[in-house]
Amino acid sequence: MASGKRVIEGDRTGTLVHLPRQAEGPLDDPRRSDVDEWGRSERVRKLARRLYGPIYRRWFRAEWEGLEKMPATGGALLVANHAAAIPSDAPVIMHGVEEELGRPVYGLADHLFKSLPVIGTLWSRAGGVAAHPENAYRLLREQEQLVLVFPEGDKGPGKTYGERYRLNRFGRGGFVEIAMRAGVPIVPIAVVGAEESMPVLFRVNWLARATGLPYFPITPNALMFGPLLGLVMYFPAKFKLQVLDPVQFDVPPGQERYSKSRIMDESEAIRVRLQEALFEMLRTRNSIWFG
Amino acid sequence: MGRRVLVTGLGTFWGGRVAQAIERDPDVDAIVGVDRFEPTVPLERTEFVRADQSYSILARIVQATEVDTILHTFLVVDSTRMSARTMHEINVIGTMNLLAAASAPETSVRHIVVKSSSLVYGASFQDPAWFREETPRTKPPSTLVERSLLEVEEYLRDFAEDNPHVTVTLLRFANVLGTDIRTPISKALELPAAPHILGFDPLVQFVEEDDVIRCIEFALGHELPGIYNVAGDGRLPWSEVAAICGKRRWPLSPVFTGYAAAPLGRLGLVDLPPELLDLFRYGRGIDNRRLKRAGFEYRFTSAGAVESFANAMRLRRTVGDDQPSYRYERDVEAFFKHSPAVVRSE
């Protein structure tokens, strides 16, 4: 064969050969916003913290007890009693722990938020995460974060003023199972003050059915400030929060299922402790507004 | 002896691309492609067999060619392309016939790879941030394409159970973006302003089309029994997707969104089927770590896939629809291959 001529291999022509790209190193990720995988945006959260700070300090004058019991590292599941027609306790706990401990809290909330335009997006950017066992597990086990849930669910804020500070059933104990599976402690928090910040006088069931809401409350806030302003105008009840001793479970994490009776027992034990702590705090409270 | 591969949907975008890719693989001895239509991409050594859409003659083809691997790329996930009836025929009846052919007595089939979609997870406000392969969907399916894909997956599960000697790999792909593929999402992003639902900014996830092909090749070369999610790393808000593409957004009403979106389809701008409107409202994330643990390496993240699409779109806008780079010219390649004037090394 004559040299210098181009040699073309017989059976490998015409194939599309991919040019090698940069092989090593992290992938090129041309992100432009700071929205993370949970939908949180640090910019929005910073703004929210700045706006909420004065409400936390001046309006609710939140006071903590036992913050040293909160784990400084590793995942933990925070559980608290839930109250007020539009719950005021979740932002107080989240803001409080972030301010006092410098650890972010991922509040797991009802999916309902996510289905509302604008509100759902803002809620998610500010740090709300949809309550789903997968989300809780990932946050607690893999990312070792603090996660806040309200085991009473919407029965907590839906209770009327006459039932205040009496805990409802703690669901089916799902929060205990999640903590067991993730291998993290449960930290109960007793909250006093939320009940009086936006009490429910009575519920209108037919309106709840018509609007698809879990309950439709009539609040003194709405009667005093009107239906719109009444949604955000809380009464300046004094907030007191008490962190109870964390509960550790000596079960192997990562299992598909745990003993149902053990779960229900643990769940009930936490509920009773939280209830007793609430009554104890109420015994020593002199004034709704000044603590 | 090398592999003998059957590719379904050879005339479609994916079937053609997949066949092109595995033609490069020297371990593959024979490639047979079936479809209703001629392939649209040039193919070297793939043999094309015309079949009806429900693949009723497939059993005979499998028997005659003794294929050991079936790459089932022909599942319709874009419901805007055809009527509900055709889609059902292709997805459900087609897969049923395919599996019937593969489970015939003394069959040679040992490996089935199916290209499904993350549509099987749905999109709802109750969803977790990330779906693992085992995570059940939170709402029953309401759209036809989701129902048909779930039915297909059910057939596959039964098949895998009944035929333990066959490795069944079910790949669930996130929404695809890339340089060439056209989907309702890519069409929406090519409009002067990208539609979005007012008040919602969902987190979406994409996989680049090259990664799709590479993943199917990867599944062909490895034993991967079970279900695998395929999606680029990370999720990003739809507003950011529009920003990367350099587009403003055009709001659709958050109530009666279907009616608000319908005129876009009528005008021939973009069809937004109900499953896509769900995605535009709530987004979806699928956990891609199982496939990574199996050894697959992605070349693009979600945002990277969007950028790859955006770059291709800008190029198209400037130079038109013709592919600018040298791709493949049948005559030229035939000349190189067959002409006595070309000097070949022996």
Side-chain angles (χ1 to χ4, degrees), chain B residues 66-95:
Chain B
E66 292 194 0
V67 291
D68 53 50
T69 304
I70 297 178
L71 298 183
H72 189 27
T73 69
F74 196 24
L75 285 181
V76 181
V77 298
D78 176 1
S79 63
T80 62
R81 279 180 189 269
M82 57 193 69
S83 69
R85 198 193 162 85
T86 320
M87 188 169 69
H88 175 84
E89 199 76 7
I90 292 174
N91 285 359
V92 180
I93 309 298
T95 306

PDB file of all heavy atoms in Angstrom, chain B residues 66-95:
ATOM      1  N   GLU B  66     -33.778 -14.798  17.120  1.00  0.00           N
ATOM      2  CA  GLU B  66     -33.134 -15.261  18.348  1.00  0.00           C
ATOM      3  C   GLU B  66     -32.443 -14.126  19.085  1.00  0.00           C
ATOM      4  O   GLU B  66     -31.300 -14.246  19.517  1.00  0.00           O
ATOM      5  CB  GLU B  66     -32.146 -16.393  18.048  1.00  0.00           C
ATOM      6  CG  GLU B  66     -32.852 -17.640  17.587  1.00  0.00           C
ATOM      7  CD  GLU B  66     -31.950 -18.855  17.612  1.00  0.00           C
ATOM      8  OE1 GLU B  66     -30.777 -18.702  18.000  1.00  0.00           O
ATOM      9  OE2 GLU B  66     -32.429 -19.938  17.265  1.00  0.00           O
ATOM     10  N   VAL B  67     -33.136 -13.010  19.242  1.00  0.00           N
ATOM     11  CA  VAL B  67     -32.539 -11.902  19.990  1.00  0.00           C
ATOM     12  C   VAL B  67     -32.463 -12.282  21.455  1.00  0.00           C
ATOM     13  O   VAL B  67     -33.299 -13.025  21.973  1.00  0.00           O
ATOM     14  CB  VAL B  67     -33.356 -10.594  19.834  1.00  0.00           C
ATOM     15  CG1 VAL B  67     -33.251 -10.066  18.432  1.00  0.00           C
ATOM     16  CG2 VAL B  67     -34.796 -10.807  20.247  1.00  0.00           C
ATOM     17  N   ASP B  68     -31.415 -11.781  22.131  1.00  0.00           N
ATOM     18  CA  ASP B  68     -31.317 -12.039  23.567  1.00  0.00           C
ATOM     19  C   ASP B  68     -31.688 -10.818  24.387  1.00  0.00           C
ATOM     20  O   ASP B  68     -31.860 -10.893  25.588  1.00  0.00           O
ATOM     21  CB  ASP B  68     -29.909 -12.514  23.935  1.00  0.00           C
ATOM     22  CG  ASP B  68     -28.831 -11.576  23.431  1.00  0.00           C
ATOM     23  OD1 ASP B  68     -28.958 -10.369  23.671  1.00  0.00           O
ATOM     24  OD2 ASP B  68     -27.875 -12.049  22.788  1.00  0.00           O
ATOM     25  N   THR B  69     -31.770  -9.654  23.723  1.00  0.00           N
ATOM     26  CA  THR B  69     -32.046  -8.421  24.453  1.00  0.00           C
ATOM     27  C   THR B  69     -33.122  -7.625  23.723  1.00  0.00           C
ATOM     28  O   THR B  69     -33.075  -7.489  22.500  1.00  0.00           O
ATOM     29  CB  THR B  69     -30.772  -7.560  24.547  1.00  0.00           C
ATOM     30  OG1 THR B  69     -29.747  -8.332  25.139  1.00  0.00           O
ATOM     31  CG2 THR B  69     -31.013  -6.309  25.368  1.00  0.00           C
ATOM     32  N   ILE B  70     -34.077  -7.105  24.479  1.00  0.00           N
ATOM     33  CA  ILE B  70     -35.085  -6.219  23.887  1.00  0.00           C
ATOM     34  C   ILE B  70     -34.949  -4.854  24.543  1.00  0.00           C
ATOM     35  O   ILE B  70     -34.984  -4.733  25.769  1.00  0.00           O
ATOM     36  CB  ILE B  70     -36.504  -6.770  24.111  1.00  0.00           C
ATOM     37  CG1 ILE B  70     -36.652  -8.120  23.401  1.00  0.00           C
ATOM     38  CG2 ILE B  70     -37.545  -5.784  23.594  1.00  0.00           C
ATOM     39  CD1 ILE B  70     -38.005  -8.761  23.611  1.00  0.00           C
ATOM     40  N   LEU B  71     -34.738  -3.831  23.724  1.00  0.00           N
ATOM     41  CA  LEU B  71     -34.740  -2.456  24.230  1.00  0.00           C
ATOM     42  C   LEU B  71     -36.091  -1.853  23.866  1.00  0.00           C
ATOM     43  O   LEU B  71     -36.349  -1.553  22.702  1.00  0.00           O
ATOM     44  CB  LEU B  71     -33.614  -1.639  23.600  1.00  0.00           C
ATOM     45  CG  LEU B  71     -32.190  -2.120  23.863  1.00  0.00           C
ATOM     46  CD1 LEU B  71     -31.182  -1.160  23.222  1.00  0.00           C
ATOM     47  CD2 LEU B  71     -31.920  -2.210  25.352  1.00  0.00           C
ATOM     48  N   HIS B  72     -36.951  -1.712  24.854  1.00  0.00           N
ATOM     49  CA  HIS B  72     -38.303  -1.231  24.592  1.00  0.00           C
ATOM     50  C   HIS B  72     -38.321   0.279  24.787  1.00  0.00           C
ATOM     51  O   HIS B  72     -38.569   0.778  25.881  1.00  0.00           O
ATOM     52  CB  HIS B  72     -39.273  -1.931  25.545  1.00  0.00           C
ATOM     53  CG  HIS B  72     -40.710  -1.687  25.222  1.00  0.00           C
ATOM     54  ND1 HIS B  72     -41.165  -1.401  23.958  1.00  0.00           N
ATOM     55  CD2 HIS B  72     -41.812  -1.704  26.003  1.00  0.00           C
ATOM     56  CE1 HIS B  72     -42.472  -1.250  23.982  1.00  0.00           C
ATOM     57  NE2 HIS B  72     -42.889  -1.424  25.207  1.00  0.00           N
ATOM     58  N   THR B  73     -38.008   0.991  23.701  1.00  0.00           N
ATOM     59  CA  THR B  73     -37.984   2.461  23.809  1.00  0.00           C
ATOM     60  C   THR B  73     -39.315   3.062  23.411  1.00  0.00           C
ATOM     61  O   THR B  73     -39.522   4.256  23.541  1.00  0.00           O
ATOM     62  CB  THR B  73     -36.921   3.074  22.877  1.00  0.00           C
ATOM     63  OG1 THR B  73     -37.352   2.898  21.515  1.00  0.00           O
ATOM     64  CG2 THR B  73     -35.580   2.416  23.062  1.00  0.00           C
ATOM     65  N   PHE B  74     -40.216   2.230  22.904  1.00  0.00           N
ATOM     66  CA  PHE B  74     -41.427   2.769  22.297  1.00  0.00           C
ATOM     67  C   PHE B  74     -42.565   2.808  23.300  1.00  0.00           C
ATOM     68  O   PHE B  74     -43.543   2.093  23.181  1.00  0.00           O
ATOM     69  CB  PHE B  74     -41.803   1.935  21.078  1.00  0.00           C
ATOM     70  CG  PHE B  74     -42.793   2.609  20.184  1.00  0.00           C
ATOM     71  CD1 PHE B  74     -42.926   3.977  20.175  1.00  0.00           C
ATOM     72  CD2 PHE B  74     -43.597   1.870  19.337  1.00  0.00           C
ATOM     73  CE1 PHE B  74     -43.841   4.605  19.348  1.00  0.00           C
ATOM     74  CE2 PHE B  74     -44.515   2.483  18.505  1.00  0.00           C
ATOM     75  CZ  PHE B  74     -44.621   3.855  18.514  1.00  0.00           C
ATOM     76  N   LEU B  75     -42.416   3.635  24.333  1.00  0.00           N
ATOM     77  CA  LEU B  75     -43.549   3.945  25.187  1.00  0.00           C
ATOM     78  C   LEU B  75     -43.827   5.424  24.998  1.00  0.00           C
ATOM     79  O   LEU B  75     -42.933   6.249  25.126  1.00  0.00           O
ATOM     80  CB  LEU B  75     -43.221   3.661  26.650  1.00  0.00           C
ATOM     81  CG  LEU B  75     -43.190   2.195  27.067  1.00  0.00           C
ATOM     82  CD1 LEU B  75     -42.876   2.073  28.542  1.00  0.00           C
ATOM     83  CD2 LEU B  75     -44.516   1.520  26.765  1.00  0.00           C
ATOM     84  N   VAL B  76     -45.060   5.746  24.691  1.00  0.00           N
ATOM     85  CA  VAL B  76     -45.403   7.144  24.442  1.00  0.00           C
ATOM     86  C   VAL B  76     -45.580   7.849  25.780  1.00  0.00           C
ATOM     87  O   VAL B  76     -46.376   7.429  26.614  1.00  0.00           O
ATOM     88  CB  VAL B  76     -46.695   7.239  23.623  1.00  0.00           C
ATOM     89  CG1 VAL B  76     -47.026   8.696  23.348  1.00  0.00           C
ATOM     90  CG2 VAL B  76     -46.550   6.470  22.342  1.00  0.00           C
ATOM     91  N   VAL B  77     -44.806   8.903  26.014  1.00  0.00           N
ATOM     92  CA  VAL B  77     -44.956   9.663  27.248  1.00  0.00           C
ATOM     93  C   VAL B  77     -45.447  11.081  26.958  1.00  0.00           C
ATOM     94  O   VAL B  77     -45.792  11.813  27.863  1.00  0.00           O
ATOM     95  CB  VAL B  77     -43.632   9.733  28.042  1.00  0.00           C
ATOM     96  CG1 VAL B  77     -43.205   8.337  28.453  1.00  0.00           C
ATOM     97  CG2 VAL B  77     -42.546  10.400  27.240  1.00  0.00           C
ATOM     98  N   ASP B  78     -45.476  11.450  25.698  1.00  0.00           N
ATOM     99  CA  ASP B  78     -45.951  12.780  25.309  1.00  0.00           C
ATOM    100  C   ASP B  78     -47.352  12.615  24.728  1.00  0.00           C
ATOM    101  O   ASP B  78     -47.519  12.211  23.582  1.00  0.00           O
ATOM    102  CB  ASP B  78     -44.983  13.367  24.279  1.00  0.00           C
ATOM    103  CG  ASP B  78     -45.461  14.710  23.759  1.00  0.00           C
ATOM    104  OD1 ASP B  78     -46.524  15.180  24.204  1.00  0.00           O
ATOM    105  OD2 ASP B  78     -44.754  15.286  22.913  1.00  0.00           O
ATOM    106  N   SER B  79     -48.355  12.919  25.544  1.00  0.00           N
ATOM    107  CA  SER B  79     -49.723  12.611  25.134  1.00  0.00           C
ATOM    108  C   SER B  79     -50.248  13.592  24.084  1.00  0.00           C
ATOM    109  O   SER B  79     -51.355  13.433  23.604  1.00  0.00           O
ATOM    110  CB  SER B  79     -50.651  12.625  26.351  1.00  0.00           C
ATOM    111  OG  SER B  79     -50.679  13.916  26.914  1.00  0.00           O
ATOM    112  N   THR B  80     -49.465  14.624  23.745  1.00  0.00           N
ATOM    113  CA  THR B  80     -49.960  15.566  22.740  1.00  0.00           C
ATOM    114  C   THR B  80     -49.740  15.052  21.333  1.00  0.00           C
ATOM    115  O   THR B  80     -50.194  15.646  20.370  1.00  0.00           O
ATOM    116  CB  THR B  80     -49.237  16.924  22.862  1.00  0.00           C
ATOM    117  OG1 THR B  80     -47.848  16.715  22.625  1.00  0.00           O
ATOM    118  CG2 THR B  80     -49.426  17.506  24.241  1.00  0.00           C
ATOM    119  N   ARG B  81     -49.012  13.958  21.201  1.00  0.00           N
ATOM    120  CA  ARG B  81     -48.639  13.514  19.870  1.00  0.00           C
ATOM    121  C   ARG B  81     -49.704  12.680  19.183  1.00  0.00           C
ATOM    122  O   ARG B  81     -49.675  12.507  17.977  1.00  0.00           O
ATOM    123  CB  ARG B  81     -47.351  12.691  19.932  1.00  0.00           C
ATOM    124  CG  ARG B  81     -46.153  13.565  20.006  1.00  0.00           C
ATOM    125  CD  ARG B  81     -44.887  12.778  20.062  1.00  0.00           C
ATOM    126  NE  ARG B  81     -43.799  13.679  20.356  1.00  0.00           N
ATOM    127  CZ  ARG B  81     -43.090  14.292  19.424  1.00  0.00           C
ATOM    128  NH1 ARG B  81     -43.340  14.098  18.163  1.00  0.00           N
ATOM    129  NH2 ARG B  81     -42.131  15.111  19.772  1.00  0.00           N
ATOM    130  N   MET B  82     -50.583  12.078  19.947  1.00  0.00           N
ATOM    131  CA  MET B  82     -51.547  11.180  19.326  1.00  0.00           C
ATOM    132  C   MET B  82     -52.788  11.070  20.180  1.00  0.00           C
ATOM    133  O   MET B  82     -52.841  11.563  21.294  1.00  0.00           O
ATOM    134  CB  MET B  82     -50.921   9.808  19.124  1.00  0.00           C
ATOM    135  CG  MET B  82     -50.407   9.209  20.403  1.00  0.00           C
ATOM    136  SD  MET B  82     -49.372   7.802  20.102  1.00  0.00           S
ATOM    137  CE  MET B  82     -47.939   8.534  19.354  1.00  0.00           C
ATOM    138  N   SER B  83     -53.788  10.388  19.604  1.00  0.00           N
ATOM    139  CA  SER B  83     -55.041  10.229  20.326  1.00  0.00           C
ATOM    140  C   SER B  83     -54.833   9.267  21.489  1.00  0.00           C
ATOM    141  O   SER B  83     -53.900   8.466  21.514  1.00  0.00           O
ATOM    142  CB  SER B  83     -56.102   9.672  19.388  1.00  0.00           C
ATOM    143  OG  SER B  83     -55.785   8.347  19.050  1.00  0.00           O
ATOM    144  N   ALA B  84     -55.750   9.377  22.437  1.00  0.00           N
ATOM    145  CA  ALA B  84     -55.670   8.520  23.618  1.00  0.00           C
ATOM    146  C   ALA B  84     -55.720   7.058  23.221  1.00  0.00           C
ATOM    147  O   ALA B  84     -55.037   6.211  23.796  1.00  0.00           O
ATOM    148  CB  ALA B  84     -56.815   8.855  24.567  1.00  0.00           C
ATOM    149  N   ARG B  85     -56.517   6.764  22.205  1.00  0.00           N
ATOM    150  CA  ARG B  85     -56.698   5.381  21.793  1.00  0.00           C
ATOM    151  C   ARG B  85     -55.407   4.801  21.223  1.00  0.00           C
ATOM    152  O   ARG B  85     -54.988   3.704  21.571  1.00  0.00           O
ATOM    153  CB  ARG B  85     -57.808   5.348  20.736  1.00  0.00           C
ATOM    154  CG  ARG B  85     -58.373   3.996  20.546  1.00  0.00           C
ATOM    155  CD  ARG B  85     -59.225   3.955  19.280  1.00  0.00           C
ATOM    156  NE  ARG B  85     -59.402   2.576  18.904  1.00  0.00           N
ATOM    157  CZ  ARG B  85     -60.348   1.818  19.403  1.00  0.00           C
ATOM    158  NH1 ARG B  85     -61.194   2.314  20.279  1.00  0.00           N
ATOM    159  NH2 ARG B  85     -60.455   0.558  19.039  1.00  0.00           N
ATOM    160  N   THR B  86     -54.748   5.585  20.359  1.00  0.00           N
ATOM    161  CA  THR B  86     -53.484   5.121  19.784  1.00  0.00           C
ATOM    162  C   THR B  86     -52.437   4.930  20.871  1.00  0.00           C
ATOM    163  O   THR B  86     -51.675   3.961  20.857  1.00  0.00           O
ATOM    164  CB  THR B  86     -52.961   6.154  18.768  1.00  0.00           C
ATOM    165  OG1 THR B  86     -54.060   6.648  18.026  1.00  0.00           O
ATOM    166  CG2 THR B  86     -51.932   5.552  17.853  1.00  0.00           C
ATOM    167  N   MET B  87     -52.431   5.860  21.807  1.00  0.00           N
ATOM    168  CA  MET B  87     -51.438   5.776  22.879  1.00  0.00           C
ATOM    169  C   MET B  87     -51.641   4.505  23.694  1.00  0.00           C
ATOM    170  O   MET B  87     -50.678   3.795  24.020  1.00  0.00           O
ATOM    171  CB  MET B  87     -51.575   7.000  23.773  1.00  0.00           C
ATOM    172  CG  MET B  87     -50.493   7.147  24.799  1.00  0.00           C
ATOM    173  SD  MET B  87     -50.603   8.759  25.542  1.00  0.00           S
ATOM    174  CE  MET B  87     -52.126   8.591  26.444  1.00  0.00           C
ATOM    175  N   HIS B  88     -52.903   4.215  24.009  1.00  0.00           N
ATOM    176  CA  HIS B  88     -53.204   2.996  24.758  1.00  0.00           C
ATOM    177  C   HIS B  88     -52.755   1.771  23.963  1.00  0.00           C
ATOM    178  O   HIS B  88     -52.142   0.851  24.497  1.00  0.00           O
ATOM    179  CB  HIS B  88     -54.700   2.936  25.038  1.00  0.00           C
ATOM    180  CG  HIS B  88     -55.136   1.662  25.688  1.00  0.00           C
ATOM    181  ND1 HIS B  88     -55.062   1.468  27.042  1.00  0.00           N
ATOM    182  CD2 HIS B  88     -55.629   0.523  25.160  1.00  0.00           C
ATOM    183  CE1 HIS B  88     -55.502   0.253  27.322  1.00  0.00           C
ATOM    184  NE2 HIS B  88     -55.855  -0.351  26.207  1.00  0.00           N
ATOM    185  N   GLU B  89     -53.055   1.819  22.661  1.00  0.00           N
ATOM    186  CA  GLU B  89     -52.707   0.692  21.799  1.00  0.00           C
ATOM    187  C   GLU B  89     -51.190   0.452  21.818  1.00  0.00           C
ATOM    188  O   GLU B  89     -50.729  -0.669  21.970  1.00  0.00           O
ATOM    189  CB  GLU B  89     -53.193   1.023  20.376  1.00  0.00           C
ATOM    190  CG  GLU B  89     -53.324  -0.151  19.468  1.00  0.00           C
ATOM    191  CD  GLU B  89     -54.565  -0.974  19.788  1.00  0.00           C
ATOM    192  OE1 GLU B  89     -55.393  -0.562  20.621  1.00  0.00           O
ATOM    193  OE2 GLU B  89     -54.680  -2.039  19.210  1.00  0.00           O
ATOM    194  N   ILE B  90     -50.448   1.541  21.685  1.00  0.00           N
ATOM    195  CA  ILE B  90     -48.985   1.421  21.627  1.00  0.00           C
ATOM    196  C   ILE B  90     -48.417   0.997  22.974  1.00  0.00           C
ATOM    197  O   ILE B  90     -47.653   0.038  23.080  1.00  0.00           O
ATOM    198  CB  ILE B  90     -48.353   2.760  21.190  1.00  0.00           C
ATOM    199  CG1 ILE B  90     -48.717   3.056  19.743  1.00  0.00           C
ATOM    200  CG2 ILE B  90     -46.855   2.732  21.386  1.00  0.00           C
ATOM    201  CD1 ILE B  90     -48.265   4.416  19.283  1.00  0.00           C
ATOM    202  N   ASN B  91     -48.809   1.727  24.024  1.00  0.00           N
ATOM    203  CA  ASN B  91     -48.184   1.478  25.328  1.00  0.00           C
ATOM    204  C   ASN B  91     -48.609   0.138  25.910  1.00  0.00           C
ATOM    205  O   ASN B  91     -47.764  -0.708  26.213  1.00  0.00           O
ATOM    206  CB  ASN B  91     -48.555   2.595  26.306  1.00  0.00           C
ATOM    207  CG  ASN B  91     -47.787   3.871  26.024  1.00  0.00           C
ATOM    208  OD1 ASN B  91     -46.978   3.909  25.108  1.00  0.00           O
ATOM    209  ND2 ASN B  91     -48.046   4.899  26.789  1.00  0.00           N
ATOM    210  N   VAL B  92     -49.905  -0.036  26.059  1.00  0.00           N
ATOM    211  CA  VAL B  92     -50.372  -1.194  26.824  1.00  0.00           C
ATOM    212  C   VAL B  92     -50.378  -2.449  25.958  1.00  0.00           C
ATOM    213  O   VAL B  92     -49.751  -3.457  26.299  1.00  0.00           O
ATOM    214  CB  VAL B  92     -51.775  -0.912  27.400  1.00  0.00           C
ATOM    215  CG1 VAL B  92     -52.253  -2.122  28.184  1.00  0.00           C
ATOM    216  CG2 VAL B  92     -51.726   0.311  28.281  1.00  0.00           C
ATOM    217  N   ILE B  93     -51.065  -2.384  24.819  1.00  0.00           N
ATOM    218  CA  ILE B  93     -51.176  -3.582  23.984  1.00  0.00           C
ATOM    219  C   ILE B  93     -49.811  -3.928  23.384  1.00  0.00           C
ATOM    220  O   ILE B  93     -49.428  -5.096  23.311  1.00  0.00           O
ATOM    221  CB  ILE B  93     -52.226  -3.379  22.868  1.00  0.00           C
ATOM    222  CG1 ILE B  93     -53.540  -2.868  23.476  1.00  0.00           C
ATOM    223  CG2 ILE B  93     -52.445  -4.670  22.108  1.00  0.00           C
ATOM    224  CD1 ILE B  93     -54.188  -3.800  24.455  1.00  0.00           C
ATOM    225  N   GLY B  94     -49.062  -2.894  22.984  1.00  0.00           N
ATOM    226  CA  GLY B  94     -47.730  -3.144  22.435  1.00  0.00           C
ATOM    227  C   GLY B  94     -46.827  -3.857  23.428  1.00  0.00           C
ATOM    228  O   GLY B  94     -46.180  -4.851  23.106  1.00  0.00           O
ATOM    229  N   THR B  95     -46.806  -3.356  24.667  1.00  0.00           N
ATOM    230  CA  THR B  95     -45.966  -3.990  25.684  1.00  0.00           C
ATOM    231  C   THR B  95     -46.447  -5.400  25.986  1.00  0.00           C
ATOM    232  O   THR B  95     -45.642  -6.321  26.188  1.00  0.00           O
ATOM    233  CB  THR B  95     -45.974  -3.150  26.971  1.00  0.00           C
ATOM    234  OG1 THR B  95     -45.606  -1.822  26.634  1.00  0.00           O
ATOM    235  CG2 THR B  95     -45.010  -3.708  27.993  1.00  0.00           C
TER     236      THR B  95
END
